[in-house]
């Protein structure tokens, strides 16, 4: 390609909205242009990078026997409602673009395709003889990010490879999961990335297990905890570790103590002269399930530890069936305004004990006011003649006397009210770090008072639900080696593989007939790679003060020929000659034949990050050309005849070792 004929504009200054180096460089170097919040155009240079990434992905996926297809971006809401994820994606996380067509049919722009592929499998896969099968696609996905940032790292439109496998049993799934793990390692190695596979939380995708692939970079949004022996690495959301040992308790004997203005752990410990590991702190959360049921969750955890809200969400999701739900819409620490909706009296915030009374939660009103009846039943409230002063039992008695279909409408309205009403008891969980504490300090359920020397079983009932919801930290001891220490790094997630099991197939009725003639749900896996995110992650990992340093395998061009003076006939003649030779050798070559100063051309070549620069400059008089390697800026003069075969060999060697 001749640069004089390309849509190519570089910027000398960083764009105002760019926060991290890779975002700044991709815009400055003319790879992408912002059109709106989280919306970017892939310009010719960037598209070449993406095409090379896609080609590597396709080659490695095809090598495993996976089959490429293309699924619709518009997805009917009915499929997502069958899986139970419509509310999660449109209300809770709110990441799906949802719309209605002219016939008022609900649709979503796909952020992922589990429901679509499961619906297809349900119709097409009938027998175990058709299994296993692995289907993948590479296409644009959509996410309604609250705060799009970092360019292609967190945009509202992005390119992704997503694969979905179907199996007759878990053993078959694990075999494909292992094949995908190896394929992903091959892909990221071939792309020239320094990466680390880590244990990960499955999030809204679900399933029994998952693994992320992180490109190591200081600007990474994710924290990774790992051991230097290479035996453990995990996203901090998923990571487990051994907590530091608790200090010996200075307390003996149960005692209530005055402790004014000590609503924080730090102030409490200073006042009581104890270590935070001697404290049981009680953190109040408000969980809203997709049945609209609100549950107040009290987590008791050792005072020197923090709650990992991802782990807590997972524990609460397990309990969803208890509340006629499938998942959680939101998990928050309720502020004063939220507390007013359900609190029967002011909570002793900062002084809550593990045994705080359920009386703090308001029950159904003893008598319903006219305003409450109208809010519940609307125009149908006229059946309650008094329109105030009725108990719940009296309301239900009046409804039972109504003819159908009115009785059904009233019962539905009352049921909806009950489902929205806060569960009248605290859901109490205790973290493992607090279970073995003795003679601990904790709240007294009275402002400005704590108790010391408390014990489970005598002073407080130990919650039945014992969980691991503490946040693992750098410096903690790894579970597999208590003598070791967890280290920390930042990473950019570029791939994620999941063992889904039967989550979607059971919900959507996707079954097959096994060898015994029994109907069984399909066992599934899914495997994603952020193609556009990977391209920017490569830049975030490899750049210098002058610009991008692309790995050779995914660089838009492998060689750029710079002609310092296009008016010099000899410079142009030699440039044209080796340009033709590079093309014949199968090298992606760019010829900078613009009428620009040599300094501008050199700066642009460094900014856009082409691995090798060949200059038809001063050394031409000695029958040589200057060759500059972008990665380390090393300079070497080669005779003209040796330039093409030498660089071709270098490029092939780099691709082979990457």
């Amino acid at each position: 390609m001749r640069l004089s004929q390309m849509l190519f504009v570089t910027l000398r200054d960083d764009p105002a909205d760019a926060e991290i180096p890779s975002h700044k460089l991709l815009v400055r170097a003319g790879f992408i242009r912002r059109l709106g919040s989280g919306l970017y155009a892939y310009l010719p240079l960037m598209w070449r990078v993406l095409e090379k990434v896609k080609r590597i992905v396709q080659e490695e996926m095809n090598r495993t026997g996976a089959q490429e297809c293309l699924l619709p971006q518009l997805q009917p809401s009915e499929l997502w409602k069958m899986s139970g994820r419509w509310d999660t994606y449109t209300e809770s996380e709110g990441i799906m673009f949802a719309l209605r067509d002219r016939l008022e049919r609900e649709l979503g722009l796909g952020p992922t395709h589990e429901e679509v592929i499961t619906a297809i499998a349900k119709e097409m896969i009938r027998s175990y003889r058709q299994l296993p099968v692995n289907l993948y696609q590479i296409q644009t996905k959509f996410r309604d990010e609250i705060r799009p940032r970092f360019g292609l790292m967190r945009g509202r439109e992005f390119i992704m490879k997503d694969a979905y496998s179907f199996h007759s049993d878990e053993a078959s799934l694990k075999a494909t999961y292992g094949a995908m793990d190896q394929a992903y390692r091959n892909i990221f190695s071939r792309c020239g990335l320094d990466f680390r596979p880590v244990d990960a939380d499955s999030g809204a995708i679900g399933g029994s297990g998952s693994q992320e692939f992180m490109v190591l970079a200081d600007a990474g949004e994710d924290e990774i905890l790992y051991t230097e022996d290479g035996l453990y690495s995990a996203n901090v959301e998923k990571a487990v570790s051994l907590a530091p040992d608790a200090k010996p308790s200075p307390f003996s004997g149960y005692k209530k103590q005055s402790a004014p203005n000590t609503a924080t752990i730090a102030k409490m410990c200073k006042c009581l002269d104890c270590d935070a590991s001697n404290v049981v702190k009680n953190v109040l959360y408000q969980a809203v399930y997709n049945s609209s049921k609100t549950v107040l969750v009290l987590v008791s955890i050792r005072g020197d530890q923090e709650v990992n809200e991802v782990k807590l969400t997972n524990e609460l999701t397990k309990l969803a069936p208890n509340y006629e739900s499938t998942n959680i819409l939101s998990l928050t620490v309720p502020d004063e305004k939220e507390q007013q909706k359900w609190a029967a009296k002011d909570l002793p915030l900062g002084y809550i004990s593990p045994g705080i009374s359920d009386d703090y939660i308001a029950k159904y009103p003893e008598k319903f006011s006219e305003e409450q009846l109208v809010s519940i039943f609307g125009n149908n409230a006229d059946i309650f003649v008094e329109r105030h002063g009725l108990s719940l039992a009296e309301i239900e008695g009046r409804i039972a006397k109504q003819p159908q279909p009115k009785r059904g409408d009233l019962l539905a309205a009352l049921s909806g009210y009950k489902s929205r009403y806060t569960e009248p008891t605290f859901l109490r969980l205790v973290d493992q770090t607090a279970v073995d504490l003795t003679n601990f300090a904790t709240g007294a359920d009275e402002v400005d008072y704590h108790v010391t020397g408390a014990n489970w079983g005598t002073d407080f009932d130990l919650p039945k639900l014992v969980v691991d919801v503490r946040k693992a930290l750098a410096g903690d001891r790894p579970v597999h080696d208590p003598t070791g220490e967890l280290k920390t790094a930042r990473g950019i997630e570029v791939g994620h593989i999941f063992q889904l099991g039967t989550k979607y197939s059971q919900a959507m009725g996707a079954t097959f007939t096994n060898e015994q003639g029994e109907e069984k749900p399909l066992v599934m896996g899914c495997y994603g790679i952020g193609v556009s995110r990977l391209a920017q992650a490569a830049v975030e990992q490899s750049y210098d003060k002058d610009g991008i340093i692309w790995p050779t395998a995914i660089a838009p061009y492998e060689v750029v020929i710079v002609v310092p003076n296009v008016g010099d006939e000899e410079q142009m003649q030699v440039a044209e000659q080796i340009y033709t030779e590079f093309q014949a050798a199968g090298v992606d070559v760019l010829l900078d034949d613009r009428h620009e100063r040599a300094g501008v051309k050199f700066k642009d070549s460094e900014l856009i990050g082409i691995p090798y620069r060949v200059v038809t400059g001063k050394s031409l008089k000695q029958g040589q050309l200057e060759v500059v390697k972008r990665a380390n800026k090393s300079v070497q003069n080669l005779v003209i005849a040796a330039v093409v075969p030498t660089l071709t060999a270098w490029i092939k060697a780099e691709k082979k070792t990457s």
Side-chain angles (χ1 to χ4, degrees), residues 270-287:
K270 184 177 181 181
C271 177
L272 300 178
D273 193 23
C274 68
D275 188 78
S277 65
N278 306 134
V279 175
V280 171
K281 68 178 176 182
N282 305 286
V283 187
L284 181 64
Y285 286 93
Q286 177 174 302

Side-chain angles (χ1 to χ4, degrees), residues 25 59 111 217 362 395 509 548 559 649 656:
L25 289 170
E59 288 172 359
I395 291 171
I548 299 167
V559 174
K656 189 174 182 179

Side-chain angles (χ1 to χ4, degrees), residues 150-209:
F150 302 154
L152 307 183
M153 293 290 193
R154 190 164 291 282
R156 297 199 292 168
E157 184 177 312
F158 54 96
I159 299 173
M160 183 175 175
K161 186 283 299 178
D162 48 324
Y164 307 91
S165 63
F166 297 90
H167 309 269
S168 58
D169 55 34
E170 291 287 339
S172 175
L173 166 61
K174 288 180 179 178
T176 297
Y177 187 84
M180 288 295 98
D181 172 80
Q182 186 58 57
Y184 275 41
R185 293 169 190 260
N186 295 346
I187 288 166
F188 301 131
S189 295
R190 288 182 60 187
C191 288
L193 302 174
D194 181 14
F195 67 96
R196 187 186 295 272
V198 303
D199 292 342
D201 179 70
S202 296
I205 300 293
S208 60

